[in-house]
Coordinates of all heavy atoms in Angstrom, one line a residue:
V1 N -5.0 2.3 -6.8 CA -4.5 3.6 -6.9 C -4.4 4.3 -5.5 O -3.6 5.0 -5.1 CB -5.5 4.3 -7.8 CG1 -5.3 6.0 -7.7 CG2 -5.6 3.9 -9.2
K2 N -5.4 3.9 -4.6 CA -5.3 4.5 -3.2 C -3.9 4.1 -2.6 O -3.4 4.7 -1.7 CB -6.6 4.0 -2.4 CG -7.7 4.8 -2.8 CD -8.9 4.3 -2.0 CE -10.1 5.0 -2.2 NZ -11.4 4.8 -1.3
K3 N -3.6 2.8 -2.8 CA -2.4 2.3 -2.2 C -1.1 3.0 -2.8 O -0.2 3.4 -2.2 CB -2.3 0.8 -2.4 CG -3.2 0.0 -1.5 CD -3.0 -1.5 -1.8 CE -3.9 -2.4 -0.9 NZ -3.8 -3.8 -1.2
T4 N -1.0 3.3 -4.1 CA 0.0 3.9 -4.7 C 0.0 5.3 -4.2 O 1.1 5.9 -4.0 CB -0.2 3.9 -6.2 OG1 -0.3 2.5 -6.8 CG2 0.9 4.7 -7.0
H5 N -1.1 6.0 -4.1 CA -1.2 7.3 -3.7 C -1.7 7.5 -2.2 O -2.5 8.3 -1.9 CB -2.0 8.2 -4.7 CG -1.4 8.3 -6.0 ND1 -0.4 9.0 -6.4 CD2 -1.8 7.7 -7.1 CE1 -0.2 8.9 -7.7 NE2 -1.0 8.2 -8.2
Y6 N -1.0 6.7 -1.4 CA -1.5 6.6 0.1 C -1.5 8.0 0.8 O -2.1 8.3 1.8 CB -0.8 5.5 0.9 CG 0.6 5.8 0.9 CD1 1.3 6.6 2.1 CD2 1.6 5.5 0.0 CE1 2.5 6.8 2.1 CE2 3.0 5.7 0.1 CZ 3.4 6.4 1.2 OH 4.8 6.7 1.3
D7 N -0.4 8.7 0.3 CA -0.1 10.1 0.9 C -1.0 11.3 0.3 O -0.8 12.4 0.7 CB 1.3 10.4 0.9 CG 1.8 10.4 -0.6 OD1 1.2 9.8 -1.5 OD2 2.9 11.0 -0.9
A8 N -1.9 10.9 -0.6 CA -2.6 11.9 -1.2 C -3.8 12.3 -0.4 O -4.3 11.6 0.4 CB -3.2 11.5 -2.5
R9 N -4.3 13.6 -0.5 CA -5.5 14.0 0.3 C -6.8 13.3 0.0 O -7.6 12.9 0.7 CB -5.7 15.5 0.1 CG -6.8 16.2 0.8 CD -6.6 16.2 2.4 NE -5.5 17.1 2.7 CZ -5.7 18.4 3.1 NH1 -6.9 18.9 3.0 NH2 -4.6 19.2 3.4
H10 N -6.9 13.2 -1.5 CA -8.2 12.5 -1.9 C -7.9 11.5 -3.1 O -7.0 12.0 -3.9 CB -9.2 13.5 -2.3 CG -9.6 14.6 -1.4 ND1 -10.4 14.4 -0.3 CD2 -9.0 15.8 -1.1 CE1 -10.4 15.4 0.6 NE2 -9.7 16.4 0.0
N11 N -8.7 10.5 -3.2 CA -8.7 9.6 -4.4 C -10.0 9.5 -4.7 O -10.7 8.5 -4.3 CB -8.0 8.3 -4.1 CG -6.4 8.4 -3.9 OD1 -5.7 8.4 -5.0 ND2 -6.0 8.3 -2.8
C12 N -10.6 10.3 -5.7 CA -12.1 10.3 -6.0 C -12.2 9.4 -7.4 O -11.3 9.4 -8.0 CB -12.4 11.7 -6.2 SG -12.2 12.7 -4.8
F13 N -13.3 8.8 -7.4 CA -13.4 8.0 -8.6 C -14.9 7.9 -9.1 O -15.8 8.3 -8.4 CB -13.0 6.6 -8.3 CG -14.1 5.8 -7.3 CD1 -15.0 5.0 -7.9 CD2 -13.7 5.8 -6.0 CE1 -15.8 4.3 -7.0 CE2 -14.4 5.0 -5.0 CZ -15.6 4.4 -5.6
A14 N -15.1 7.4 -10.3 CA -16.3 7.0 -10.8 C -16.1 5.9 -11.8 O -15.1 5.7 -12.4 CB -17.1 8.2 -11.6
Y15 N -17.2 5.0 -11.9 CA -17.1 3.9 -13.0 C -18.4 3.7 -13.6 O -19.6 4.1 -13.1 CB -16.6 2.7 -12.3 CG -17.3 2.0 -11.3 CD1 -18.6 1.5 -11.5 CD2 -16.8 1.8 -10.0 CE1 -19.4 0.8 -10.6 CE2 -17.6 1.2 -9.0 CZ -18.9 0.6 -9.3 OH -19.7 0.1 -8.4
S16 N -18.3 3.2 -14.8 CA -19.6 2.6 -15.5 C -19.2 1.3 -16.1 O -18.3 1.1 -16.8 CB -19.8 3.5 -16.7 OG -21.0 3.1 -17.4
V17 N -19.9 0.3 -15.5 CA -19.6 -1.2 -15.9 C -20.8 -1.8 -16.5 O -21.9 -1.7 -16.0 CB -19.1 -1.9 -14.7 CG1 -18.9 -3.3 -14.9 CG2 -17.8 -1.3 -14.0
G18 N -20.5 -2.5 -17.6 CA -21.7 -3.2 -18.2 C -22.0 -2.6 -19.5 O -21.9 -1.4 -19.6
L19 N -22.2 -3.4 -20.5 CA -22.7 -2.9 -21.9 C -24.1 -2.8 -22.1 O -24.7 -1.7 -22.3 CB -21.9 -3.8 -23.0 CG -20.4 -3.7 -22.9 CD1 -19.9 -4.7 -24.0 CD2 -20.0 -2.4 -23.3
S20 N -24.8 -4.0 -21.9 CA -26.3 -4.0 -22.0 C -27.1 -3.3 -20.8 O -28.0 -2.6 -21.0 CB -26.8 -5.4 -22.3 OG -26.4 -6.3 -21.2
E21 N -26.6 -3.6 -19.7 CA -27.1 -3.1 -18.4 C -26.0 -2.4 -17.7 O -25.2 -3.3 -17.0 CB -28.0 -4.0 -17.6 CG -29.2 -4.5 -18.3 CD -30.0 -5.6 -17.6 OE1 -29.7 -5.8 -16.4 OE2 -31.0 -6.0 -18.1
K22 N -25.8 -1.1 -17.6 CA -24.6 -0.6 -16.9 C -24.9 -0.3 -15.5 O -26.0 -0.1 -15.1 CB -24.1 0.7 -17.7 CG -25.1 1.8 -17.6 CD -24.5 3.1 -18.4 CE -25.5 4.3 -18.4 NZ -25.0 5.4 -19.1
Q23 N -23.8 -0.4 -14.7 CA -23.9 -0.1 -13.2 C -22.9 1.0 -13.0 O -21.8 0.9 -13.5 CB -23.5 -1.2 -12.4 CG -24.3 -2.5 -12.5 CD -23.8 -3.6 -11.6 OE1 -23.9 -3.5 -10.4 NE2 -23.3 -4.6 -12.3
V24 N -23.3 2.1 -12.4 CA -22.5 3.2 -12.2 C -22.4 3.6 -10.7 O -23.3 3.2 -9.9 CB -23.0 4.5 -12.9 CG1 -23.1 4.2 -14.4 CG2 -24.4 4.9 -12.4
R25 N -21.2 4.1 -10.3 CA -21.0 4.5 -8.9 C -19.9 5.6 -9.0 O -19.0 5.7 -9.7 CB -20.4 3.3 -8.1 CG -20.3 3.7 -6.7 CD -19.8 2.6 -5.8 NE -19.1 3.0 -4.5 CZ -18.5 2.2 -3.7 NH1 -18.2 1.0 -4.1 NH2 -18.1 2.7 -2.5

């Protein structure tokens, strides 16, 4: 997404990965 929108001011994100034990960032 950052490559697609290389000219944007910000590309902010969050994720939640894992079903039994999730990792977030």
Side-chain angles (χ1 to χ4, degrees):
V1 173
K2 286 184 175 182
K3 287 180 181 177
T4 300
H5 296 289
Y6 66 91
D7 55 341
R9 178 70 67 92
H10 306 282
N11 287 284
C12 307
F13 71 87
Y15 64 67
S16 177
V17 176
L19 294 174
S20 56
E21 294 182 6
K22 64 181 180 180
Q23 299 180 69
V24 301
R25 181 185 168 192

